């Protein structure tokens, strides 16, 4: 458990939706909202071995909006890699790298047509319904992997053994 001082709080703009994820990387806290992305710089004094020690004073400072066009509606629809934050925004059918601006990877790599086939209202519930989104990053190959599981209503035949 942690003890928080009453003045040790920060806010993000509610007009960009709920916060869906936080990512800590290189003394930067990425804040992913449903329709936006921002960063807070983390005081180097407050970090110890990759963890953030809250309640130590000015931990988070200098909030900057990185995108007010794109975000992720899914808790596991974003991941941090060596070159920035990667997000999958199903509401706008975009896969992006967000650094100082938005870089729509889906447009450059030709996966936009595939993203258009995925329902916008995909429920992230892998445990109960078996549907959801997971982004992961491999630091050895610098690859971002996207897993999208949903029921498209088409029964598929399984492979025999």
């Amino acid at each position: 458990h942690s003890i928080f001082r009453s003045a040790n709080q920060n806010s993000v703009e509610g007009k960009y939706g709920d916060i869906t994820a936080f990512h800590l990387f290189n003394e930067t806290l990425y804040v992913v909202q449903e329709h936006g992305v921002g960063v807070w710089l983390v005081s180097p004094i407050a970090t110890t071995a990759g963890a953030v020690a809250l309640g130590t004073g000015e931990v988070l400072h200098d909030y900057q909006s990185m995108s007010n066009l794109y975000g992720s509606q899914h808790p596991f629809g974003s991941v941090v890699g060596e070159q920035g934050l990667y997000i999958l925004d199903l509401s706008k059918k975009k896969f992006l790298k967000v650094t100082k601006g938005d870089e729509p990877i889906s447009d450059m790599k030709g996966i936009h047509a595939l993203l258009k086939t995925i329902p916008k209202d995909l429920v992230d519930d892998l445990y109960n319904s078996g549907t959801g989104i997971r982004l992961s990053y491999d630091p050895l190959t610098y690859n971002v992997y996207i897993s999208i599981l949903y029921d498209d209503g088409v029964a598929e035949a399984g492979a025999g053994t």
Side-chain angles (χ1 to χ4, degrees):
H1 84 51
S2 297
I3 297 172
F4 297 94
R5 295 181 182 155
S6 60
N8 196 6
Q9 65 181 1
N10 289 303
S11 300
V12 295
E13 299 226 22
K15 66 183 178 183
Y16 300 123
D18 292 338
I19 294 173
T20 57
F22 290 103
H23 300 282
L24 182 62
F25 184 73
N26 287 342
E27 296 177 357
T28 302
L29 180 67
Y30 292 88
V31 181
V32 181
Q33 292 177 260
E34 293 175 315
H35 306 287
V37 177
V39 295
W40 269 302
L41 298 179
V42 178
S43 171
I45 303 167
T47 56
T48 57
V52 176
L54 297 176
T56 57
E58 287 294 318
V59 176
L60 304 174
H61 59 90
D62 296 334
Y63 181 79
Q64 301 168 0
S65 176
M66 294 178 69
S67 174
N68 55 10
L69 296 174
Y70 303 104
S72 182
Q73 299 74 42
H74 302 278
F76 299 99
S78 58
V79 68
V80 173
E82 287 292 323
Q83 297 180 6
L85 177 72
Y86 297 88
I87 60 171
L88 182 61
D89 187 336
L90 276 188
S91 70
K92 296 189 179 74
K93 305 295 187 186
K94 298 280 186 184
F95 174 61
L96 306 117
K97 179 171 75 172
V98 181
T99 51
K100 294 187 187 222
D102 307 316
E103 185 180 326
I105 296 171
S106 55
D107 295 348
M108 295 182 292
K109 300 292 183 182
I111 61 172
H112 183 71
L114 174 67
L115 291 176
K116 288 175 73 173
T117 66
I118 300 166
K120 285 183 182 181
D121 58 350
L122 178 66
V123 176
D124 204 350
D125 187 16
L126 281 178
Y127 300 110
N128 294 318
S129 67
T131 62
I133 294 174
R134 297 293 183 269
L135 267 63
S136 59
Y137 177 74
D138 182 356
L140 297 176
T141 63
Y142 305 109
N143 288 326
V144 174
Y145 296 97
I146 304 170
S147 298
I148 303 171
L149 303 168
Y150 67 100
D151 183 7
D152 60 1
V154 178
E156 294 183 20
T161 57

